[in-house]
Amino acid sequence: MKAAGLFFAFALDALRGLFRRPWQVREFVQQAWFVSSVSIMPAALVSVPFGAVIALQLGSLVRQLGAQSFTGAASVLAVVREAGPIVTALIIAGAGGSAICADLGARKIREELDAMEVLGIDPLQRLVAPRIAATMLVALLLNGLVSVVGVAGGYFFNVVLQHGTPGAYVASFQALGQLPDLVVGELKALVFGAVAALVASYKGMTAKGGPKGVGDAVNHSVVITFMLLFALNFVITAVYFQIVPQKGS
């Protein structure tokens, strides 16, 4: 419980730093470019099999139920609402988050963070806040890329391999899909990006024990982030279904 309380206090201080001046624009741009450079290619490659597996599984299921006309809606909604944000979160946490944790952990054991505090520079505002903002922005944009690639992969596998009808695939999505489905997917990506950056920054800035401690902190940050992301995904999805009425219900 003590660790959870310390992390919560750290998160509040770090999020408060997002709105304090002076804002570190250069650090923000550098971190956004770095996180995107290590995340775009893995996310695009992972989203193709995700979309394909969803399309193949749902295509087989709806054929057994005699509802082939809803294959497009089920596949696209699954990718946009669930698979897209999850893939984005896993890539951001595994690639970007681990790099953030290692960087801040190395600064911690070299006592650079202590030196900044002695000079009157707040490490949360100078280092952590730009990384949080950059990760949130990259996650938001990356989720759009993952959704597009996943939907395209699902369309290809459903139409080409399962001999589905292109018109029915698109028409069913238009019949059941709605704008809040995309909004909740983007909201999930934004929240997941913030959580990944917060956990990575916290574990990095509290690392101890030399290089081995930094490696342990990176491992812990990735595992903790994955656990939090799946829990948050369940909560956001449950709230979404309670608030937003679904088409056809």
Side-chain angles (χ1 to χ4, degrees), residues 235-249:
V235 172
I236 295 174
T237 302
V239 172
Y240 170 74
F241 281 122
Q242 291 296 322
I243 296 176
V244 181
Q246 302 300 299
K247 285 186 176 181
S249 60

Side-chain angles (χ1 to χ4, degrees), residues 15 100 130 180 237:
L15 293 175
I100 291 174
T237 302

Side-chain angles (χ1 to χ4, degrees), residues 29-80:
V29 173
Q30 290 177 343
Q31 292 301 317
W33 173 255
F34 171 74
V35 174
S36 61
S37 65
V38 299
S39 303
I40 288 178
M41 187 58 67
L45 294 177
V46 170
S47 60
V48 173
F50 253 88
V53 168
I54 291 174
L56 292 174
Q57 293 288 347
L58 290 177
S60 175
L61 177 62
V62 298
R63 254 202 324 272
Q64 296 176 16
L65 298 176
Q68 294 92 331
S69 58
F70 292 102
T71 303
S75 301
V76 174
L77 291 179
V79 171
V80 172

Side-chain angles (χ1 to χ4, degrees), residues 1-164:
M1 294 300 295
K2 181 180 178 181
L6 292 174
F7 171 72
F8 186 71
F10 173 87
L12 290 180
D13 292 337
L15 293 175
R16 193 182 303 122
L18 292 173
F19 307 99
R20 290 169 55 190
R21 292 186 176 182
W23 218 77
Q24 306 299 324
V25 178
R26 181 178 180 181
E27 187 77 16
F28 165 76
V29 173
Q30 290 177 343
Q31 292 301 317
W33 173 255
F34 171 74
V35 174
S36 61
S37 65
V38 299
S39 303
I40 288 178
M41 187 58 67
L45 294 177
V46 170
S47 60
V48 173
F50 253 88
V53 168
I54 291 174
L56 292 174
Q57 293 288 347
L58 290 177
S60 175
L61 177 62
V62 298
R63 254 202 324 272
Q64 296 176 16
L65 298 176
Q68 294 92 331
S69 58
F70 292 102
T71 303
S75 301
V76 174
L77 291 179
V79 171
V80 172
R81 279 201 307 226
E82 300 298 330
I86 287 295
V87 170
T88 301
L90 296 182
I91 296 297
I92 288 290
S98 59
I100 291 174
C101 182
D103 177 40
L104 295 178
R107 293 172 184 259
K108 175 65 175 179
I109 65 172
R110 291 198 303 262
E111 300 182 349
E112 291 183 19
L113 302 182
D114 297 332
M116 293 177 66
E117 293 178 351
V118 170
L119 294 173
I121 302 173
D122 185 5
L124 292 180
Q125 182 184 2
R126 178 64 180 81
L127 299 176
V128 176
R131 284 164 170 77
I132 295 174
T135 306
M136 291 172 67
L137 175 63
V138 173
L140 193 68
L141 300 177
L142 197 64
N143 181 63
L145 172 66
V146 170
S147 298
V148 170
V149 175
V151 168
Y155 176 86
F156 174 81
F157 279 89
N158 178 262
V159 173
V160 175
L161 297 184
Q162 294 184 318
H163 308 292

